[in-house]
Amino acid sequence: MNAIDDEDYFDEISHEIINFPAEVQSAIEQVIPSDDPLDQPDFNAVEYINSLFPTEQSLSNLDDVLNKMEYKIRVIDDEIRSVVRVQTNVRMDGRVALEDAQKVIRQLFTQITEIKCKAEQSEETVREITRDIKQLDCAKRNLTSAITTLNHLHMLVGGVDSLKTLTSKRQYGEIVMPLQAITEVMKHFDTFTDIPQIRDLADQVKEIQASLATQITNDFHEAFAGPNAKSFVPNRQLAEACLVVSILDPKVKKELLKWFVGIQLSEYSVLFHESEDTAWLDKLDRRFAWFKKHLLQCEDKFGAMFPAHWEVSERITVEFCHITKNELSKIMSKRKNEIDVKLLLFAIQKTVNLETLLAKRFSGATLAEDKDEEDSKEKKTSPFTGIISECFQPYLYIYIESLDRNLFELMERSIADSKTDLNREVLPSTSIGVLPSCADLFVFYKKCLIQCTQLSNGNPMLALANTFQKYLREYAFKVLQNNLPKIGSSGGTLSSVTNITRDLRDLSSGFMQNFLKEGESTRFNKQEQARICCILTTAEYCLETTQQLEKTLKEKIDPTLSERIKLAQEQDVFHNVISTCIQLLVQDLEVACEPALTAMSKTQWQSVETVGDQSPYVSAITGHIKTTVPLIRDNLASSRKYFTQFCIKFVNSFIPKFIQSIFKCKPLSAAGAEQLLLDAHMLKTILLGLPLVGSKVNREAPTSFTKIVVKGMTRAEMILKVVMSHTEPHTAFVEQFLKLLPESDVQEFQKVLEMKGLKAADKNHLISLFRPRQPGLGQPVSTSPKHDTSSIRKLNNLIKKTF
């Protein structure tokens, strides 16, 4: 760069046009923003000159502009020259800095190499210094080990001779310490058994231990089973012998204790042999009394002789439990026909009481010695729980059968009592409430569950759950469903209605004819309405309690069986009873309103000339609502949600019937249509206040209920408004119909035309205009709300079609 003159360099590059990419140009504008036209990437020299000299007169300033431009060019050239020179100097300075850094790195490498060499020399020096010390440490360890081994060998040689002498003299108290020491010392010579002298000493120690085991065992046999066993008094020699046994092979202690426990329980096996009268379950308390007395005597006499950690009393107790369990199992299998529930519960109660006492008295440490027993212990609150009473598990079916009989008797009483409770006279404002028999049933269930939990949480509890399910269903059918009032004087019972509503598809033609006859029956009286409400609230209580019962059973039963506890079907049964009660109450109110709707459809509406107050049929419907709804609401005071369901189901059923009755009012005069529209508005107001009729509490009706009433009755009003509309022009009438009743079909359109009393030609012309524009291409649209598909409603529609 220095070899080229700066002026020539700039003259050379000034003729080149540099075009930067859009990204680079954007970055330049962010770093160096400028409004100067000369800095713009799309600079046009001609346009720029024209902007400087827009007119000929402006050319008079040409010299001044040129001077400014030349000055600006010189300034820019100077700036570029300075930048180029600075960049050249920076490159030279960087080269010098790089050389300096390389020089420093070489010096640092030399210093690190020298440090590493000195470290290696220091390590070698330390190694030379410590070599002799390590040799001394090794010699010291070997010398210490040799001295220790010699001491142990001396103890072993002297101890063996001493033990032989003490063993022959039965001086067990003086044997304990030397024997324990020699036993520990022999562990140090396990690696030296290839030495003949050591092997010989080890054999002598084993012979001494075997001799002690045999000798002590014989001493115990002589003391407890010899000729003078009856006059034997525990002495110090045998107590010290027990300490020696603790040091010997554990098998010696195990066999000795097994023999001793057998001696202590030999009398028990004879006194309560299965051939003896005392062996049967009714004498079970005598077994336990004998054991308690014998155990106390044994502890008083031999308690001080055995070491505490031997747990002799617990071992006797455990063996007694095992013997008792086996004996009871054997005798019950032979005499199971003699076992009744009273005897079984007596035996279980006595046994559980003993197990509880043993759990408080002993820790169960001896049971944990057996792996299988330990696994069993982890599953129980106490190792003694069920140690004897498990033998009664196969016979708990007797208990379950007894509960079944008791529940059968309770069910029979419940059936009789429910008839009395439901048939007694009550005031219209008085609620019968939940049947007392329902509470009695679940109280009995609770007692059975508590008792069965104490007996078993396995298959017997599963059988108990099945029994509970059986009588829950029986209660639902025999006490609740069968006590629902008859439909009418013809003698039909609720069970027939329930069967109809449960599965409409099963109706036969013959049965349908009988039902139509029953449809002519009278309404329920106030007592019968209260009875239905009582059955509903009782079914609700049963439903909620059954849900809690299922949860409790799952918690109490063995976790492996909890999935088999399912009371969903029983809950469905009570759901069905509740649904049937609501359907009957709805049907009853519908039957009351039916004559009014019939009177409405038979009125000569074409003769009505003036619009007055609400029609008599509206007053009749209002009267039935005011008479019936408060009674139902009071009797369902504790079941508000089901009262709301009653209201929703009623309006869901009544409003479509009202609309069908409107279609039957034909032909209509203008005043008649206006009167029907007024009646529909009045009914809408009455239905909106249905949940609050006669109530002293001012509250809003449920939103879900209000939406159904508004939607249904608004449709009825729209039908009447269409009837009141002029048919001329025909196209406008069709448009009005589709606007007010967008979900209607051609059949309803035809019904509206019949209500207007049009001539056949006019009707046919209007229908021809409507068909191409009907919703769903002629598919009928349901006029009833979509909120209810109950079986009663389906049944009513089916009856209508049959007529």
Side-chain angles (χ1 to χ4, degrees), residues 343-402:
L343 180 61
L344 179 66
L345 291 179
F346 166 79
I348 292 175
Q349 187 62 47
K350 293 295 182 180
T351 305
V352 170
N353 291 342
L354 177 67
E355 291 174 349
T356 303
L357 179 63
L358 298 181
K360 295 178 180 179
R361 174 65 173 79
F362 301 109
S363 64
T366 60
L367 287 169
E369 293 178 0
D370 190 337
K371 184 177 180 180
D372 294 337
E373 293 287 355
E374 176 64 21
D375 293 340
S376 178
K377 179 181 177 181
E378 292 176 359
K379 299 178 182 178
K380 302 173 182 177
T381 55
S382 167
F384 286 95
T385 300
I387 192 171
I388 300 176
S389 58
E390 282 184 355
C391 68
F392 299 113
Q393 294 291 324
Y395 305 95
L396 286 179
Y397 71 90
I398 298 173
Y399 167 73
I400 301 299
E401 291 175 354
S402 173

Side-chain angles (χ1 to χ4, degrees), residues 19 48 53 65 97 101 116 151 167 175 205 210 220 279 305 334 355 392 474 531 541 547 568 572 576 591 667 676 750:
N19 293 321
Y48 182 70
F53 306 105
V65 173
K116 182 179 179 182
N151 288 333
T167 300
I175 290 176
V205 170
F220 270 89
M305 188 176 71
K334 294 180 179 180
E355 291 174 349
F392 299 113
E474 288 204 7
R531 184 194 305 177
Y541 175 83
Q547 293 171 345
D572 290 341
N576 291 337
V591 169
L676 275 175
Q750 187 172 358

